Amino acid sequence: MDRRAVYGPRDGTVLSQQSQHRSDEILDGDIDEVLQAKRADGKFWKNLREQDLPIRVQQILHQIGFYGVYSCGRIQYDCHLITALVERWRFETHFFHFRVGEATITLQDVQVIWGLPIDGEPVSGTDLERTSVQWQEYCMQYIGFAPEEGALKGSRLQVKAIIHHISRVHITPDTPHLTVVQDIVAARNYSWGSAVLAFLYRELCNASEKGKVAIGGALQLVQIWAWSRIIPLCPGLGAPRVHMGPHQIDNNRALPGAPYGAMWNCEHTFTRTVRTTVQVIRDILDEMQYDQLWRSICPLIFYAIVEMHHPERVLRQFGMMQNIPDQPDTRDMSLHKITRSNRTGTDWVLQHILYITRWQRRYDTVIERQLISNRRDTDRGYWEWYNNITRHFVSSSTDRRVESGYQPGDAPMLPIVTQQVNTLQTLFQSKSVDVEGYRQLVAQLEHEVQIIAEAIKHQPQQTATPSDSAPTTSHRQRRSSSQMSIGSVERGDIGVDIAGPSTAYTPQDYYVPQPPQDYYVPQPS
């Protein structure tokens, strides 16, 4: 069997590094390898829950742009879900490659989910060489305590040192170190959202390479993004653990409501959706069928890290017509090799001056395209191009399913098809056509729908015929996936759609909570 012809890419001009990608390892038999999440914030959030954060501290967080992150809190990672997404992340383009098209986490997602500021100066500077004593003095000056020498590694401070300090200090409005923190409000002048996204892109790129076993970065963003946009992955949600509305301090002062991401900080139920099995999530992704700055083609900068933001490749996420994008610039891929290791004294502003200059012109590169009502509409030739350049399948099974028509068996679309057919039949029975010339056409359509309804009624559970065009799940995966369902059609689960509208973040045909209409969520123009 020709792997390239079946799995893709058939044309390697875009996904040119497929031989180095972790999806190739799956075909070699390493199908159960789940990435470990690099995370050290458990005690930090536990301490915040046990000790109410004073209003003054919350106001400071709001002033510098981090109040949204605090409001969202901490959610448990689903490493199986994250692994399945990483298997479709491409370091050549900074996009997830699904069968229905490219998709990615954009500046829009960072701002809406976490409320982080995305406009402002790039987060960059010079990695100065200081002694441990000088770093301790620096920490005392800027964050109010001097960590032990073992907690410092160059310019990096271990999170556990901060947790240890907070656990020993009872924060009140008169806590001394709140008065010595310098230039705290000036932090709002920086684009923290683009820095977070740059670091996340770099982690996704690194983890998508063969042999990698762990991933870091803002994985909470990845998880909420996937839950929001891919119906079969969305868990049932309980009541939010945090207050979503504005917090009134007194008659004259109030803190804004929590951003969209806070709605996912709740109890999750998985009785009607997928949980913690990378093989099943892989199969679901394999079976998928069809602020101005959000759309800016610009570099994302965080000191040594520079990663490119390419919304022009996912215009359907913004409700715009998708065309065939330009070839990725191979020079951008060389940026992956630049790190801060052993680069003490490097002035990263000077090192990346060309990219910082491009960031300063970020509003000059905002993409404008024709708005569309059907988010699956694309320019002529797009799908032929995409089918040739993408990696279609990740699952390792060599038997393939037919790609056209209704997918029987495990594909959980039968209840949805049945409901739509019943709706059409009801429509035919309740409407009369009086215009001459249309009666025969409507009668023929009604007859065809009746044939489909009868075929569905007698549809066997497994009728798929293996072929060489689409993957078939293994027996173990089939048994696992048969125990889950997308959910009832009462929720509006009409299909899987990675595209989003141009003015509202949450598409109407996703079963997710509506984002709060408050300080953080952009309003339709």
PDB file of all heavy atoms in Angstrom, residues 6 188 253 308 479:
ATOM      1  N   VAL A   6      -2.706   7.119   0.329  1.00  0.00           N
ATOM      2  CA  VAL A   6      -3.861   6.900   1.206  1.00  0.00           C
ATOM      3  C   VAL A   6      -3.909   7.925   2.326  1.00  0.00           C
ATOM      4  O   VAL A   6      -4.916   8.599   2.539  1.00  0.00           O
ATOM      5  CB  VAL A   6      -3.828   5.467   1.784  1.00  0.00           C
ATOM      6  CG1 VAL A   6      -4.979   5.269   2.772  1.00  0.00           C
ATOM      7  CG2 VAL A   6      -3.914   4.451   0.655  1.00  0.00           C
ATOM      8  N   ARG A 188       0.434  46.518  31.294  1.00  0.00           N
ATOM      9  CA  ARG A 188      -0.732  46.476  30.400  1.00  0.00           C
ATOM     10  C   ARG A 188      -0.376  46.940  28.987  1.00  0.00           C
ATOM     11  O   ARG A 188      -1.124  46.704  28.038  1.00  0.00           O
ATOM     12  CB  ARG A 188      -1.869  47.339  30.968  1.00  0.00           C
ATOM     13  CG  ARG A 188      -3.195  47.231  30.232  1.00  0.00           C
ATOM     14  CD  ARG A 188      -3.728  45.808  30.285  1.00  0.00           C
ATOM     15  NE  ARG A 188      -4.938  45.645  29.518  1.00  0.00           N
ATOM     16  CZ  ARG A 188      -6.162  45.564  30.040  1.00  0.00           C
ATOM     17  NH1 ARG A 188      -6.326  45.660  31.349  1.00  0.00           N
ATOM     18  NH2 ARG A 188      -7.211  45.390  29.285  1.00  0.00           N
ATOM     19  N   ARG A 253     -17.158  51.363  42.124  1.00  0.00           N
ATOM     20  CA  ARG A 253     -16.137  50.503  41.522  1.00  0.00           C
ATOM     21  C   ARG A 253     -16.673  49.090  41.313  1.00  0.00           C
ATOM     22  O   ARG A 253     -17.451  48.584  42.132  1.00  0.00           O
ATOM     23  CB  ARG A 253     -14.894  50.451  42.407  1.00  0.00           C
ATOM     24  CG  ARG A 253     -14.181  51.774  42.575  1.00  0.00           C
ATOM     25  CD  ARG A 253     -13.008  51.612  43.523  1.00  0.00           C
ATOM     26  NE  ARG A 253     -13.444  51.143  44.840  1.00  0.00           N
ATOM     27  CZ  ARG A 253     -12.619  50.661  45.780  1.00  0.00           C
ATOM     28  NH1 ARG A 253     -11.321  50.564  45.526  1.00  0.00           N
ATOM     29  NH2 ARG A 253     -13.089  50.267  46.946  1.00  0.00           N
ATOM     30  N   MET A 308       4.857  32.489  13.605  1.00  0.00           N
ATOM     31  CA  MET A 308       4.012  33.274  12.705  1.00  0.00           C
ATOM     32  C   MET A 308       2.531  32.974  12.919  1.00  0.00           C
ATOM     33  O   MET A 308       2.133  31.836  13.139  1.00  0.00           O
ATOM     34  CB  MET A 308       4.403  33.013  11.254  1.00  0.00           C
ATOM     35  CG  MET A 308       5.818  33.462  10.909  1.00  0.00           C
ATOM     36  SD  MET A 308       6.138  35.206  11.299  1.00  0.00           S
ATOM     37  CE  MET A 308       4.932  36.022  10.250  1.00  0.00           C
ATOM     38  N   ARG A 479     -14.912  -1.007  19.703  1.00  0.00           N
ATOM     39  CA  ARG A 479     -15.633  -1.335  20.923  1.00  0.00           C
ATOM     40  C   ARG A 479     -15.696  -0.122  21.844  1.00  0.00           C
ATOM     41  O   ARG A 479     -16.705   0.131  22.489  1.00  0.00           O
ATOM     42  CB  ARG A 479     -14.927  -2.493  21.638  1.00  0.00           C
ATOM     43  CG  ARG A 479     -15.691  -2.982  22.873  1.00  0.00           C
ATOM     44  CD  ARG A 479     -15.052  -4.254  23.406  1.00  0.00           C
ATOM     45  NE  ARG A 479     -13.647  -4.014  23.738  1.00  0.00           N
ATOM     46  CZ  ARG A 479     -12.822  -4.981  24.127  1.00  0.00           C
ATOM     47  NH1 ARG A 479     -13.251  -6.226  24.206  1.00  0.00           N
ATOM     48  NH2 ARG A 479     -11.564  -4.704  24.425  1.00  0.00           N
TER      49      ARG A 479
END
